[in-house]
Amino acid sequence: MLGITAMRPINLPEPPSGFSSMPKFFDGAVRRAVVIGNGFAGAENQCMGLVRALGLSDRHSLYRVTRPHGGINRWLHWLPVSVHKMLDSVIRRLCGNSRFQASKIGISSVLEADAYHIATMARETFHKDGPLLVVASGRDTIPVASSIKRLAPENVFVVQIQHPRVRLNRFDLVITPRHDYFPLTPEGRRQIPWFLRKWVTPWEPPGSNVFLTMGALHLADSNTLRTAASSWHDELAALPKPLLVVNVGGPTGNCCYGVDLAKQLVVMLQNVLWSCGTIRISFSRRTPAKIANILVKEFATNPKVHIWDGEGPNPHMGHLAWADAFVITADSVSMLSEACSTGKPVYVIGAELCTWKFANFQNSLRKQGVTRPFTGKENMSESWSYPPLNDTAEAASQVIAALAQRGWTIHT
């Protein structure tokens, strides 16, 4: 009888250093994201904040939906993007280098958002790189994001931030502020003439693929603020306390104001100046010069007040990290959402000027004790607190839960 010799184990060579083999079987892990932006910080920062909260900040690509600029194009932004581009092409052919031609704004390093290209990439790399997370925000991004889902439904997970005003089944998840559903409330319906109601969206309550937030998503998470606190330590840490940060935005269609509010703000700041160690004032890109000039003229020479002139690094994140309290104009949902995520006192000026759903947003913040009206009678050394808004982290948790329903996870 022949003896049986045990088979000697076969030692395979080690893979070269730095080589990373893909799993033999698809593991359902999301390893990459695509952000569809519109060139506006308010929209793109919401996408970036969500991507960062999901741990994909170093594994995402940014694409943008762009519109023609310059000349008559400033009056055509109400058109759908595709129609706007077609009309611009016709105008340029007819008018050549006339004043109606789009201006040259330079070559952008950000790729143009092309739904077919992104969907094809998602399908072709699915088994190698896993599902593609697509995050979009802004009206112009809606056709692109919904087309990506239509072209590659089995390979992508599409998140649309802010209510898209179209059928929500075109997206896997919609993340939108609660006040976007104000038209469905009794108060909202009272403000809409009956003959316009069928044209005002949304038409129905939020479904299972809708996640409601209090405010806007943003980048000001705890890690970012810790980094900002360190980066701005030398400039802000030694300032006399309390440090009051004043963020001034600009009038909008639903929160209209002018120089009268600026003058009111000047008087109120003068009244609380005695209780402040330092006041730092910042303006946004939307702040009209006539409003900024009123504050600059009044406080430019005051040793307690520093006004950021727009030159050098933007101190916004440093202000969020080091401020003891905030005064913010009511027009900006983003600035308010960021400040209200710190748990520090937030005073609002101009809330009574907001209309429609933005008045509803202001009322909600105030009822929850997150903000208070700025009256000019405050003692800024007396602090108060509230449970900070945590919309971005909560939205990220909702994305993870929705992915799990498809058997997918976020690769960490």
Side-chain angles (χ1 to χ4, degrees):
M1 185 174 179
L2 296 175
I4 300 177
T5 304
M7 181 177 291
R8 188 179 301 172
I10 301 174
N11 295 319
L12 296 176
E14 292 292 326
S17 177
F19 177 82
S20 176
S21 61
M22 296 302 297
K24 184 177 181 180
F25 301 104
F26 168 62
D27 60 1
V30 176
R31 294 176 169 83
R32 67 243 171 91
V34 159
V35 169
I36 310 294
N38 60 0
F40 293 94
E44 292 186 359
N45 284 348
Q46 295 199 65
C47 298
M48 298 299 188
L50 181 62
V51 167
R52 177 178 293 178
L54 291 167
L56 297 172
S57 58
D58 59 345
R59 290 174 283 165
H60 79 275
S61 302
L62 174 62
Y63 294 78
R64 281 201 180 117
V65 180
T66 59
R67 285 180 177 269
H69 288 264
I72 198 174
N73 287 296
R74 74 184 67 179
W75 307 108
L76 301 178
H77 280 211
W78 58 274
L79 291 171
V81 176
S82 57
V83 176
H84 187 178
K85 288 183 176 180
M86 186 184 306
L87 183 59
D88 174 69
S89 178
V90 171
I91 291 174
R92 285 190 287 113
R93 284 201 300 269
L94 293 175
C95 301
N97 293 321
S98 76
R99 62 191 177 93
F100 296 102
Q101 185 176 357
S103 62
K104 301 294 184 182
I105 58 173
I107 299 175
S108 171
S109 60
V110 180
L111 295 173
E112 176 72 20
D114 182 289
Y116 179 79
H117 166 77
I118 296 171
T120 301
M121 179 266 290
R123 288 196 304 268
E124 293 179 350
T125 61
F126 180 73
H127 291 290
K128 177 176 178 288
D129 297 325
L132 178 67
L133 176 67
V134 178
V135 182
S137 180
R139 178 170 63 93
D140 288 348
T141 70
I142 293 167
V144 176
S146 60
S147 294
I148 293 171
K149 177 173 169 58
R150 176 176 54 83
L151 293 169
E154 303 301 320
N155 312 108
V156 299
F157 188 90
V158 177
V159 178
Q160 187 72 35
I161 300 175
Q162 297 179 321
H163 199 287
R165 314 298 177 194
V166 296
R167 294 190 178 277
L168 302 186
N169 59 6
R170 298 182 184 180
F171 312 92
D172 293 294
L173 183 64
V174 173
I175 299 172
T176 190
R178 192 169 284 105
H179 61 258
D180 270 357
Y181 280 87
F182 176 69
L184 297 183
T185 66
E187 177 62 26
R189 293 186 68 80
R190 279 195 293 270
Q191 294 185 32
I192 307 172
W194 65 268
F195 57 88
L196 292 178
R197 286 177 185 170
K198 69 176 182 178
W199 303 104
V200 178
T201 56
W203 297 293
E204 56 188 20
S208 59
N209 69 329
V210 177
F211 179 71
L212 299 179
T213 63
M214 174 63 77
L217 307 189
H218 52 79
L219 288 163
D221 58 21
S222 56
N223 289 333
T224 300
L225 294 186
R226 276 195 294 269
T227 301
S230 176
S231 300
W232 288 89
H233 178 274
D234 292 348
E235 182 169 340
L236 302 179
L239 293 177
K241 299 288 189 177
L243 168 57
L244 176 64
V245 166
V246 181
N247 289 332
V248 181
T252 65
N254 287 292
C255 191
C256 188
Y257 60 86
V259 295
D260 287 345
L261 188 71
K263 293 176 181 177
Q264 182 183 352
L265 178 58
V266 165
V267 173
M268 290 179 172
L269 290 176
Q270 287 172 334
N271 289 341
V272 301
L273 192 59
W274 68 270
S275 66
C276 299
T278 307
I279 294 179
R280 289 179 67 98
I281 302 174
S282 291
F283 304 109
S284 78
R285 299 181 186 91
R286 296 185 296 103
T287 309
K290 60 184 179 181
I291 289 178
N293 290 342
I294 289 174
L295 286 123
V296 171
K297 181 180 179 181
E298 184 63 37
F299 294 112
T301 60
N302 192 305
K304 272 192 171 185
V305 181
H306 176 275
I307 301 176
W308 183 54
D309 59 4
E311 298 296 326
N314 189 331
H316 182 61
M317 287 296 174
H319 285 171
L320 289 172
W322 283 101
D324 295 298
F326 302 91
V327 171
I328 300 177
T329 54
D331 55 276
S332 176
V333 175
S334 294
M335 287 195 301
L336 282 167
S337 299
E338 290 169 338
C340 292
S341 71
T342 67
K344 302 172 185 178
V346 178
Y347 298 95
V348 180
I349 182 170
E352 70 282 358
L353 302 173
C354 293
T355 60
W356 191 231
K357 65 181 182 179
F358 298 98
N360 180 256
F361 170 63
Q362 296 292 341
N363 291 335
S364 297
L365 291 178
R366 191 165 57 252
K367 287 178 181 178
Q368 289 199 16
V370 177
T371 64
R372 295 180 182 179
F374 186 46
T375 65
K377 300 176 182 178
E378 293 81 5
N379 180 348
M380 290 300 169
S381 63
E382 297 177 356
S383 187
W384 48 276
S385 63
Y386 49 87
L389 297 188
N390 199 28
D391 286 331
T392 307
E394 292 171 0
S397 296
Q398 190 66 24
V399 171
I400 292 170
L403 286 170
Q405 293 179 2
R406 292 182 60 171
W408 295 350
T409 62
I410 296 288
H411 179 76
T412 56

